[in-house]
Amino acid sequence: MLLAIDIGNTQTVIGIYEGSLLRHMWRIASTKTDTSDELRLKVMPLLSSEGVGPEDVTGAVLASVVPSLGSAWRRALARILGFEPVICNAEAAGELFETTYANPSEIGADRVADAVAARELYGAPVVVVDFGTATNLEVIDAEGRFIGGIIAPGLETSAAALFAHATKLPAIELVDPGAAIGRSTVHAMQSGIVYGEADRVDGFVTRVFAELGYEAPVVATGGLAAVMGPLCRTVTAVNPELTLEGLRLVHEGGARAKGGK
């Protein structure tokens, strides 16, 4: 079994693969002060709840946009499993990740994993919209190369800023309000935040298509993909597990390159 972990600024997604099949998945809060010992105490009960022991895990791969947590997770996994996890980045992805970036090392691990999975599953060209703490767009051109993208404040980040600076406005659930014209304060806020994000993404994608000179499939992923994907006119597929799938492919590609399984 393969243990794949995607560490984001808000949530950490943990997946267990058996071959190419995602058997189990959990989302936990990314607590930036967690030590490796605390992470061990979090992950061990999750594994055991599904009857998975450390001896069942034969590989591990890790992506992190939080350096301190990435280091803590690496130490925790080495202690639990007895071997070091593969750390996802442009170099580790090898031939699976072609890019025109002058400095590929600056590309976030989650962006690398998204691009690898999107090209494998949906072909090229393809655009990924990752709805997380940031809303990221990853652009893979017709030649299968990651050529860049867009990084913008995420839905929850924008909402939190509004709540913090407009003290009379309540915190709300980020769901489809069903109509653009708000008939209450909560409804009006949901319309502005949720529909505003959907239209912003559609605007980004339209600009991307204009610069490419052609259109492409658009895949939504991330924690809010199930909410936002159906609201975006340009999104053609929703795949919340895309980043984990990319991590699996990066690990699998590295194993093949080393002559492993």
Side-chain angles (χ1 to χ4, degrees):
M1 289 183 171
L2 173 69
L3 176 59
I5 301 179
D6 172 32
I7 304 163
N9 284 290
T10 304
Q11 290 186 329
T12 293
V13 185
I14 303 168
I16 292 286
Y17 279 92
E18 187 171 2
S20 61
L21 181 63
L22 181 61
R23 287 290 189 186
H24 311 291
M25 187 181 77
W26 305 272
R27 290 183 182 269
I28 64 174
S30 294
T31 305
K32 296 179 182 179
T33 56
D34 273 352
T35 66
S36 60
D37 289 333
E38 288 169 323
L39 292 172
R40 285 170 54 219
L41 292 176
K42 287 184 176 182
V43 74
M44 289 297 289
L46 294 177
L47 298 178
S48 63
S49 71
E50 298 294 346
V52 178
E55 68 280 0
D56 300 315
V57 179
T58 57
V61 58
L62 185 66
S64 177
V65 297
V66 185
S68 60
L69 270 181
S71 297
W73 268 107
R74 181 184 59 77
R75 293 192 299 272
L77 293 180
R79 183 85 177 273
I80 294 169
L81 303 175
F83 56 83
E84 291 280 339
V86 171
I87 306 301
C88 179
N89 52 39
E91 181 180 3
E95 295 180 356
L96 294 173
F97 185 76
E98 299 178 38
T99 183
T100 59
Y101 253 52
N103 184 13
S105 64
E106 73 180 26
I107 304 171
D110 55 339
R111 303 181 76 193
V112 171
D114 284 346
V116 167
R119 191 178 75 165
E120 175 70 18
L121 297 177
Y122 302 96
V126 64
V127 176
V128 178
V129 184
D130 193 334
F131 291 99
T133 304
T135 294
N136 292 345
L137 273 73
E138 326 301 353
V139 183
I140 293 86
D141 69 8
E143 284 71 48
R145 303 169 301 181
F146 174 87
I147 61 171
I150 297 168
I151 301 175
L155 186 67
E156 291 181 338
T157 304
S158 299
L162 178 62
F163 303 151
H165 292 284
T167 54
K168 288 190 175 182
L169 295 180
I172 61 169
E173 186 179 4
L174 298 177
V175 297
D176 180 1
I181 301 173
R183 306 297 180 179
S184 67
T185 299
V186 168
H187 185 175
M189 291 171 65
Q190 288 172 329
S191 176
I193 295 170
V194 175
Y195 289 159
E197 179 73 356
D199 288 349
R200 184 176 68 150
V201 166
D202 285 334
F204 285 153
V205 172
T206 300
R207 287 178 179 271
V208 166
F209 287 169
E211 290 185 25
L212 287 174
Y214 48 80
E215 296 188 359
V218 178
V219 185
T221 192
L224 289 166
V227 174
M228 295 305 305
L231 301 180
C232 298
R233 294 183 298 275
T234 55
V235 168
T236 57
V238 176
N239 188 338
E241 290 83 44
L242 190 72
T243 311
L244 286 184
E245 185 66 15
L247 292 179
R248 181 188 70 79
L249 291 167
V250 168
H251 184 274
E252 187 178 90
R256 282 199 302 266
K258 293 178 181 178
K261 296 181 180 180

